[in-house]
Amino acid sequence: MENQPVQIEVFFSYACRDSYQVFAWLKRVQAQGVELRLTWSPFAIQLDGASDDWRQPWERANSELRGFIAAEAARRQGADAFRRFHHALEAAVHEQFLELGEEDTLLGAAEEAGLDVGRFRAAWHSPDLAYLARQSHERAVEHFDVFGTPTLVFANGQALHLELAAIPPETEAVAVFRALVALAVDHPYVAQLKRTTPLSTG
């Protein structure tokens, strides 16, 4: 891990606070010089993967699906456009506490990310964007037994559902990351860990 990028696919939802905490933590890890190759893949926590809710038009889609559709619309403008939009929307929802499903929130994130806002908004009504999000959800279930967000899938196929009690501070972000990778990838014998006593996060 010292000399090569760490590849991680993260199944996430903009509606999930735990997803945001892992996003913020991995951002701190990258800022400390650890090279990560991150893929952010939708996983619905408010939709039944087998239901017709995925087929709802934009006007009737719930906030989580709107977030996924908007993210896929951003991805159409390139990987870097998606990355900037993803950062902007996570911040808008979980730092500024704006409503995920509101068009103003999504458009504001697109503007913050420097997207072509006209193209971005026009793409919302394309039915294949919701289908792409559904495909991601179904692949998560079928291939990695994902049941919730965030779930991290490493290059060797090891998958880990992770909940943070708090975002590790910058001084500890990399140490926590290296310990997690060692446990999840290098020593994948532990199936589940769950604290039974309160954790003091300082």
Side-chain angles (χ1 to χ4, degrees), residues 2-3 8 10 13 35 40 46-47 61 64 80 101 118 128 153:
E2 296 287 346
N3 301 318
I8 308 173
V10 185
S13 171
E35 188 175 353
W40 297 94
Q46 297 177 353
L47 291 173
E64 182 182 40
D80 195 55
D128 64 317
V153 181

Side-chain angles (χ1 to χ4, degrees), residues 12-67:
F12 80 101
S13 171
Y14 292 114
C16 176
R17 180 70 181 178
D18 290 327
S19 285
Y20 165 74
Q21 292 204 129
V22 165
F23 158 77
W25 167 53
L26 293 178
K27 189 176 176 182
R28 289 180 177 179
V29 171
Q30 289 178 303
Q32 295 293 321
V34 178
E35 188 175 353
L36 304 180
R37 292 181 180 169
L38 300 175
T39 301
W40 297 94
S41 300
F43 185 87
I45 59 175
Q46 297 177 353
L47 291 173
D48 180 349
S51 79
D52 287 335
D53 290 342
W54 295 91
R55 299 180 182 178
Q56 295 297 321
W58 175 262
E59 291 76 15
R60 295 202 299 271
N62 73 9
S63 61
E64 182 182 40
L65 182 54
R66 282 190 171 195

Side-chain angles (χ1 to χ4, degrees), residues 20-170:
Y20 165 74
Q21 292 204 129
V22 165
F23 158 77
W25 167 53
L26 293 178
K27 189 176 176 182
R28 289 180 177 179
V29 171
Q30 289 178 303
Q32 295 293 321
V34 178
E35 188 175 353
L36 304 180
R37 292 181 180 169
L38 300 175
T39 301
W40 297 94
S41 300
F43 185 87
I45 59 175
Q46 297 177 353
L47 291 173
D48 180 349
S51 79
D52 287 335
D53 290 342
W54 295 91
R55 299 180 182 178
Q56 295 297 321
W58 175 262
E59 291 76 15
R60 295 202 299 271
N62 73 9
S63 61
E64 182 182 40
L65 182 54
R66 282 190 171 195
F68 289 153
I69 291 171
E72 294 303 324
R75 206 188 301 263
R76 282 190 166 181
Q77 298 188 33
D80 195 55
F82 168 81
R83 181 191 60 79
R84 298 193 309 269
F85 176 79
H86 182 68
H87 284 222
L89 187 56
E90 289 281 18
V93 174
H94 296 287
E95 297 173 18
Q96 302 169 39
F97 305 106
L98 302 179
E99 290 293 331
L100 171 59
E102 293 294 326
E103 293 190 6
D104 286 348
T105 301
L106 301 171
L107 291 171
E111 291 174 355
E112 177 71 21
L115 302 188
D116 180 328
V117 176
R119 282 181 56 200
F120 169 75
R121 185 169 190 171
W124 290 352
H125 301 281
S126 176
D128 64 317
L129 297 187
Y131 179 70
L132 289 172
R134 179 172 183 165
Q135 278 188 315
S136 173
H137 180 100
E138 291 174 344
R139 185 173 63 84
V141 174
E142 292 171 6
H143 292 278
F144 304 111
D145 294 322
V146 176
F147 59 86
T149 58
T151 296
L152 284 64
V153 181
F154 296 90
N156 66 351
Q158 292 292 326
L160 176 71
H161 178 254
L162 179 63
E163 296 180 16
L164 296 174
I167 302 168
E170 292 182 3

Side-chain angles (χ1 to χ4, degrees), residues 195-200:
R195 292 185 184 273
T196 58
T197 55
L199 175 66
S200 173

Side-chain angles (χ1 to χ4, degrees), residues 154 156-160 179-193:
F154 296 90
N156 66 351
Q158 292 292 326
L160 176 71
L180 180 75
V181 171
L183 181 65
V185 178
D186 301 331
H187 308 291
Y189 313 108
V190 178
Q192 183 176 5
L193 288 172

